[in-house]
Structures are given as structure tokens and as C-alpha cells.
Amino acid sequence: MSELTFVHSAYWISGLIAAVILLAIFVVKEWPRKSRNFVLRLAAGFVAILALLTIALKPAHLTSVDGKQGVLLTSGYQEAQLDSLRETNPELKELMYQDHIDRDELDSISQLFILGSGVKPYDFWQLEGKTVKLLKTEIPNGINQLSYSKTLTEGEELNITAYYSKPKPGNQIVLQAPGNLGLDSIQFKAAADTVFSLQAKVKAPGDFVYNLVEKDSFGRVLNNEALPVHISPEKQLSVVMLSAFPSFEFKYLKNYLAELNHQVLVRSQLTQNRFKYEYFNQERKPFNALSTSGLNHLDLLILDAGAWQSLSQNEQNSIKDAITQEGLGVFLMASEELFYGSQPLIDFKFTRTAQTEVELQDGTVVSTFGYYLNPATNFNATLKSGNQILAGQRFIGFGSVSTTVLSNTYALQLKGNQERYKSLWSEILKSVLKPESGEVFWEERDQILTPNEPYTIEFRTAVSEFILTDTDGNSIPVIQDPDIPELWSATFYPEDTGWFTLRFSAGDTISEYAYYVFTEADWKARAAQGLTKANQDFFRKGDAEVEELQVKRPINPIYFFVLFVLAMGYLWLEPKLRS
């Protein structure tokens, strides 16, 4: 089956307009001559212009072909899998992926297999419309999952949870501070996949590179993975906590925040219109925290659903304005009312589950309300267990609202695990804090960034006139989101490794964002795991039936060129013969 089409069919309208204009000019020039062969000359001119148009649009036959199976070999592919494919299809077309794809080589392939870790996400678009099947591959031995806070405050704990695939018994992992100072370590007892945790207290502010060093039983270094950490100077936060009724969860959380020397104001409702006030690390004063001036000085507002319902309409509106315009962070304490009643501020999409306990990455077991946040919704996950989101936030203007499905986390303290309780709540609350700069809020990126690969950073600002520059002072182009005016993004390609800084400048306002560029040798197993996961998510339809492959086979343009030459030859020769 063959069908006539054009290779450049997208330009047929502009080509037709150009042809009509040329024909009109030809008619205007020929009309005054009043030649007896006017009709023949007009026909010849029409044929010449039509031939030019045809050459430009490049006619082709749309032909159905059987196509071939092909295999794209990416990093980490296994020869055994490739040999198996060769046996089933001797005519298998093999393509090597080296951070780019030659689309011309894909034209005759109806089904494509991908071996190895997969293609880079920025090349996914080149495989759209193809029937692709990603074959299962083995992740290299090593740390392929890692969880830690990349931004800490002076004096906080650096808590690292990692998953090591197939360790060698006797080897150990050492957490080292800059200067090769050992802080914590763990030794593998068996060859089974292992989840381990390491801790250390950070002291001085600045941009540092800690290291996870793997050593064998003789102390020889096998792997050295960079662990960038940005440490901010210690800051006393202003926190207000509102509770409709006293609870142990609320009590332990306020004590934890007070122990960190933050200014904490607590209002607990006793009966209707009767409240209990508590002040930590500050003097007692009249309660005006929910006024416009009071909210402007807050870093975090913590409340439960009952407390929100007890607020006046003016107080609720003031809180909404402080979130959207001033960047206030609001954390909603989980309670039964949050899941069954009307939800404050935003509609959290909870999914019911029979599971009332969950195991975190480091093996800690905590209770839940029997829900988790739906991953299909537009939430920034701040705490996960596998694919389940246990805590998340959603941005509203310049601020955000966050919540969690965890319950009775204070039980960790009752069991003597105070440090895990502190690190858990630090992880949950850190992302929802009001940004240090009132003009710009940087959104964190969890990406293993390497040189010469695209890096996209998103930030929120109400300022329309600003300049974004890199460490060397070069200006970086930005794009404004068409649907969210305060959301901006910038994509650039770092060239070197190490710590670098983006600078946001608007008049007297300057805000900086530090990011780290890894070397190609860093985190091989983790990078392979992330790349495989991204490919699996994109190529989920890989098991679909192979569709009929149609290709455009261009017609040789020499035929239309000969026609053009004959028509132009007649127009040139006809007046000479007539004279």
C-alpha cells in the first residue's frame, strides 16, 4: 500500500502562497505583451512554478514496511542479554547510545529494545512514537539509594540513610568530614542487600563536601562518594502552634522546637472561647500572632484542623494572604478530623490503606492514620517510604502548606529513640519553613548533576525585573511559567565540578543558591538506579503491540527539475523563434 504525501507537508500553506505570488507576478509581466502564444506561455509559467513548489515540498510515497527489530545499547548493558536477542533475530539492528540518538538510524525500526540503564531523560522525546521495550538490567553493586538533608543549620545532625546492593562482608562504610576526619562508620556482616544509617553533628556554616568512603578489611579505599552539604548559620525561628485540644503529639513537638531555642508561642483551646497560652524562649505578650503584622514575622505556623475551624474569617484570610504573599509556611497537624472533615487551605488527596504502620528507609517503624498522600497529585514529597508519600507540601503563591499521615511519633521518644524523633521532624518541617529571602524562594532539586548536562532550577518571585547570574557573573536566561506567574525556571549546562552559586539580583535584593556538580565517577550505582527508574516510568507502554511502520520514501526530484528546465526553456526560446 502506497500513499502520496510530502516530506515538508508542514510548509505547504506558505509554499502555496509563494507560488500564487510568483504566478501573479508572471501574469502581470506577460499581460502587456499580448503575445498570440499567451495561453501557452501562461501554461509554461504555471508548470515551472508548480515544479518549483513540488521540489520545495519534496513529494514522497507513504509506504508500509515490515520494519526491523533494533536494540539500543546503553551504559551497563549485559552481553548475555544481547546474545539472547541476536539468537532470536539474526537481522537485529544494533545501535550504540553515547548520550545522543541518530534518528536516521531509527527510521526502519518497528520495535526497539533498550539494554542497560537507559537513555538520558533529555533524549526521551527522540523515541516518542516508537514501540520501545526496556529490558530488565542489573544495578551495579554499591549505594544505589541515598537519603539525607542537603541543607542543614549549624549544630544540627547530619542523618544519612542508604541502601547498599550486594556488599562484601568485612567491608565498611566510613562517613568522613572535610580533611578525612572519620565521624561514623558501619561494617557489613553479610552479602545481603543492606540498609544502613550514619550520623554526625555539623558545626561550622558554609559549603562542605563530606564523603562516604568504602574500605575493605585491610583498610584500603575502594570507593569514595562525595556528599555535598550546605550549612546555614544558626537561626532562631519564630513559631506559633494552635491546637483545638491538647495532645501528646502536640506536646512533644512543642518541646522539641523549644529545645532548639526557637521562639515558640502555643495556644491550646480548653473550652469555647477559653485558651491556654505558653511562651518559650520569649517574654509573655498580648496574643496578636494572627494579625497581619504578627504573621509577617512568623517563620512557621503549626495548627490542626479543629484550630483552623475555630478561627474567625478575618484570621483565616490573613493566614491565606501571609502564605501567598509573604511566603509563610503552614504545617497541618494530622488528626482524625483532617481525614474525615473539611480540610483547611487545600484539599489533600489522601488514599486509604489498611496499613497502620510503615517502615522508613532506615528501618524505623512508625504509626500512621491508615492513609498516604496520593503520588499522582501535585505534591512535593518531603517524606517517603517506598512509593508511599508520608509527608508532603504544596506551594500556594510564595508559601506552602504541608502535612503528614504519621501518628503518635512521640512513641519514638518513649522508646528511647530521641535522635530519630528529632531527625524525623526536622526532615518534615524543614521544607515548609518561610524562605530566608522575602523576594525569592528556591526549590530544591534532587539530582546527581554532572558537567555538560542540563540542569534546571525553579524559583518563585513576585519581582518582574531581575538578573540571574552564575558564579562567574554570566547572565542565565529564565522562563516564566505561563500558568503560575510567580514561578520561574532556568536551564543551563555546568562545565566544571565542585560548589557553585546562582545569584538573584533585583535592586538592593540579592539571594544566592548553592549547588554542587559531581564528577562522572561519583555515585555510579545510584545514578544507574535513578536512570533506570526514569526510563521505566517513561516507557511503561513498552509491552504494547507493534504498530504498522510507515515511512516516507521521497520521489527523485530530478523529474520535477527536468520539467522546470523544459518550461523555462520554452519561455526563453519562444520569443526568439517568433522574431
Side-chain angles (χ1 to χ4, degrees), residues 62-263:
L62 190 62
T63 307
S64 298
V65 297
D66 294 335
K68 294 182 179 180
Q69 283 188 334
V71 58
L72 187 63
L73 305 177
T74 66
S75 61
Y77 76 91
Q78 299 168 24
E79 284 289 345
Q81 284 184 314
L82 179 58
D83 292 339
S84 178
L85 288 176
R86 287 169 174 165
E87 289 178 5
T88 58
N89 187 351
E91 297 184 0
L92 184 71
K93 186 173 183 178
E94 298 177 17
L95 309 177
M96 182 62 71
Y97 176 70
Q98 295 177 333
D99 292 343
H100 71 277
I101 299 175
D102 188 347
R103 286 186 62 88
D104 292 338
E105 293 184 322
L106 298 176
D107 282 347
S108 61
I109 295 178
S110 58
Q111 185 180 32
L112 182 69
F113 296 97
I114 297 181
L115 295 186
S117 301
V119 302
K120 300 288 187 179
Y122 51 76
D123 277 329
F124 285 163
W125 67 274
Q126 300 200 57
L127 297 177
E128 289 180 350
K130 292 287 182 183
T131 301
V132 178
K133 187 169 184 180
L134 183 68
L135 299 187
K136 187 176 180 180
T137 186
E138 290 187 10
I139 302 299
N141 298 351
I143 299 174
N144 53 44
Q145 294 182 40
L146 179 72
S147 175
Y148 79 103
S149 182
K150 301 167 187 63
T151 304
L152 294 172
T153 303
E154 182 181 2
E156 280 190 326
E157 286 276 347
L158 171 61
N159 292 281
I160 301 165
T161 301
Y163 182 95
Y164 197 109
S165 174
K166 300 181 179 64
K168 184 177 181 180
N171 287 5
Q172 64 174 340
I173 300 291
V174 181
L175 171 60
Q176 290 185 349
N180 299 328
L181 176 63
L183 302 176
D184 198 3
S185 64
I186 183 176
Q187 188 171 39
F188 298 114
K189 305 294 185 183
D193 294 353
T194 304
V195 176
F196 66 89
S197 298
L198 299 172
Q199 294 82 31
K201 180 168 288 189
V202 297
K203 297 180 180 180
D207 296 326
F208 298 97
V209 180
Y210 289 70
N211 293 89
L212 287 182
V213 181
E214 182 179 4
K215 299 180 179 181
D216 62 15
S217 55
F218 297 101
R220 293 175 296 201
V221 175
L222 303 177
N223 291 299
N224 192 341
E225 308 286 17
L227 206 68
V229 180
H230 174 74
I231 304 174
S232 303
E234 188 175 2
K235 177 187 176 184
Q236 188 180 49
L237 302 176
S238 178
V239 183
V240 169
M241 303 179 68
L242 307 177
S243 173
F245 58 88
S247 68
F248 285 108
E249 191 78 297
F250 212 81
K251 173 185 175 182
Y252 279 88
L253 181 57
K254 75 179 180 184
N255 291 339
Y256 160 65
L257 294 173
E259 289 173 3
L260 293 175
N261 198 38
H262 298 314
Q263 292 183 346

Side-chain angles (χ1 to χ4, degrees), residues 42 58 135 140 187 195 239 242 246 301 356 379 467 508 523 525 566:
L42 188 62
K58 205 169 184 180
L135 299 187
Q187 188 171 39
V195 176
V239 183
L242 307 177
L301 174 63
T356 56
F379 279 98
I467 299 175
D508 296 333
W523 300 107
L566 291 175

Side-chain angles (χ1 to χ4, degrees), residues 233-408:
E234 188 175 2
K235 177 187 176 184
Q236 188 180 49
L237 302 176
S238 178
V239 183
V240 169
M241 303 179 68
L242 307 177
S243 173
F245 58 88
S247 68
F248 285 108
E249 191 78 297
F250 212 81
K251 173 185 175 182
Y252 279 88
L253 181 57
K254 75 179 180 184
N255 291 339
Y256 160 65
L257 294 173
E259 289 173 3
L260 293 175
N261 198 38
H262 298 314
Q263 292 183 346
V264 183
L265 193 162
V266 182
R267 188 181 79 172
S268 302
Q269 187 167 359
L270 302 177
T271 61
Q272 189 171 1
N273 298 325
R274 287 192 60 202
F275 302 94
K276 175 186 175 182
Y277 296 91
E278 298 174 86
Y279 296 82
F280 298 89
N281 303 315
Q282 60 181 310
E283 297 179 356
R284 295 185 65 86
K285 53 189 176 183
F287 183 81
N288 67 342
L290 302 182
S291 64
T292 301
S293 59
L295 289 169
N296 287 345
H297 294 90
L298 278 188
D299 294 296
L300 178 63
L301 174 63
I302 300 174
L303 50 79
D304 54 34
W308 173 263
Q309 297 300 332
S310 67
L311 299 179
S312 67
Q313 188 65 47
N314 288 336
E315 289 174 326
Q316 291 182 355
N317 290 336
S318 295
I319 292 174
K320 291 177 181 177
D321 291 341
I323 297 171
T324 57
Q325 299 175 18
E326 302 298 329
L328 176 65
V330 175
F331 182 80
L332 298 175
M333 290 290 291
S335 63
E336 294 291 343
E337 191 173 358
L338 180 64
F339 301 102
Y340 295 108
S342 59
Q343 298 178 16
L345 295 168
I346 62 174
D347 182 18
F348 287 97
K349 303 294 185 181
F350 296 111
T351 300
R352 183 73 177 177
T353 175
Q355 187 179 8
T356 56
E357 285 189 341
V358 65
E359 184 176 340
L360 303 180
Q361 284 187 331
D362 63 351
T364 303
V365 178
V366 290
S367 300
T368 73
F369 282 92
Y371 291 87
Y372 62 88
L373 288 164
N374 193 332
T377 55
N378 186 24
F379 279 98
N380 176 36
T382 55
L383 181 67
K384 296 180 69 175
S385 174
N387 293 325
Q388 292 187 356
I389 300 178
L390 305 178
Q393 70 177 143
R394 177 179 287 174
F395 291 98
I396 305 178
F398 298 108
S400 63
V401 180
S402 177
T403 192
T404 181
V405 297
L406 300 183
S407 68
N408 302 330

